[in-house]
């Protein structure tokens, strides 16, 4: 009977340990996906030629893929879940607006394209606050300068494990 209890307790402990992912681990997953999206968008914009819509199209696809990846992350911490969802929404909206801008340009609707550019700026504007938020939340209890806030589009800096 004693061996059975030990086995049950060991099983319960293992289940609890594997299902209770640390805050830092969840932070690192979000940061990793965000960094990939930032780097992909930067790569596309750096290789694009002014007036070439293919780089804007690639950017829209990178944002759409990033939204899918961010949405698929398993995050249980309430604050991190909120940030993750806001980032995913921002990426998805950026993708949709970029596609609308491309459609407006193709139809020679420069006013609509200009409005789309303004919408894109507004959709992306929370990024710095979200980046600062995740950096601050993930580095709680550490020195304030442990995780520097980036100047966009520099990727988020992952914080070391506690």
């Amino acid at each position: 009977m004693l061996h059975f209890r030990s086995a049950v307790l060991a099983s319960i402990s293992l289940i609890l340990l594997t299902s209770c992912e640390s805050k830092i681990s969840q932070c690192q997953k979000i940061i990793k996906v965000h960094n990939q999206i930032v780097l992909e968008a930067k790569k596309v914009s750096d290789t694009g030629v002014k007036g070439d819509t293919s780089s804007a199209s690639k950017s829209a696809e990178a944002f759409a893929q990033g939204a899918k990846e961010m949405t698929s992350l398993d995050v249980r911490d309430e604050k991190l879940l909120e940030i993750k969802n806001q980032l995913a929404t921002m990426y998805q909206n950026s993708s949709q607006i970029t596609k609308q801008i491309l459609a407006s340009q193709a139809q020679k609707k420069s006013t609509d394209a200009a409005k789309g550019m303004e919408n894109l700026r507004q959709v992306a504007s929370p990024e710095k606050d979200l980046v600062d938020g995740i950096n601050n939340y993930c580095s709680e209890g550490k020195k304030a300068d442990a995780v520097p806030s980036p100047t966009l589009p520099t990727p988020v800096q992952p914080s070391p494990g506690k």
Side-chain angles (χ1 to χ4, degrees):
M1 185 69 144
L2 185 57
H3 294 294
F4 177 73
R5 283 187 194 170
S6 295
V8 169
L9 288 174
S11 296
I12 290 171
S13 296
L14 182 61
I15 290 169
L16 289 174
L17 287 174
T18 57
S19 66
C20 295
E21 187 176 16
S22 76
K23 175 177 136 180
I24 295 300
S25 174
Q26 293 176 66
C27 288
Q28 289 173 339
K29 288 193 306 188
I30 294 170
I31 290 166
K32 180 181 177 186
V33 170
H34 179 71
N35 284 346
Q36 288 172 341
I37 295 164
V38 168
L39 291 174
E40 182 64 27
K42 183 169 176 29
K43 182 173 76 173
V44 168
S45 68
D46 287 351
T47 59
V49 177
K50 188 173 179 147
D52 178 21
T53 59
S54 69
S55 60
S57 181
K58 288 177 186 174
S59 184
E61 293 307 315
F63 285 129
Q65 182 60 34
K68 287 179 188 175
E69 288 178 34
M70 190 63 77
T71 300
S72 73
L73 291 179
D74 182 26
V75 174
R76 296 197 172 113
D77 181 282
E78 285 187 39
K79 178 69 174 171
L80 293 174
L81 184 60
E82 180 183 327
I83 292 171
K84 175 195 96 137
N85 290 339
Q86 289 175 329
L87 285 168
T89 299
M90 183 182 69
Y91 303 144
Q92 186 60 44
N93 291 342
S94 294
S95 175
Q96 290 171 346
I97 292 171
T98 301
K99 289 175 184 177
Q100 290 169 356
I101 292 168
L102 289 170
S104 295
Q105 288 177 331
Q107 297 171 1
K108 308 283 188 220
K109 295 183 178 179
S110 59
T111 304
D112 289 348
K115 286 179 187 174
M117 290 300 292
E118 180 56 35
N119 289 342
L120 188 58
R121 278 189 282 282
Q122 288 175 3
V123 163
S125 68
E127 183 182 26
K128 182 174 182 342
D129 290 338
L130 292 171
V131 167
D132 289 346
I134 196 168
N135 279 334
N136 291 333
Y137 185 69
C138 294
S139 66
E140 281 180 353
K142 295 181 178 9
K143 290 186 349 184
D145 62 350
V147 181
S149 295
T151 303
L152 298 176
T154 302
V156 180
Q157 301 298 314
S159 62
K162 287 187 178 181

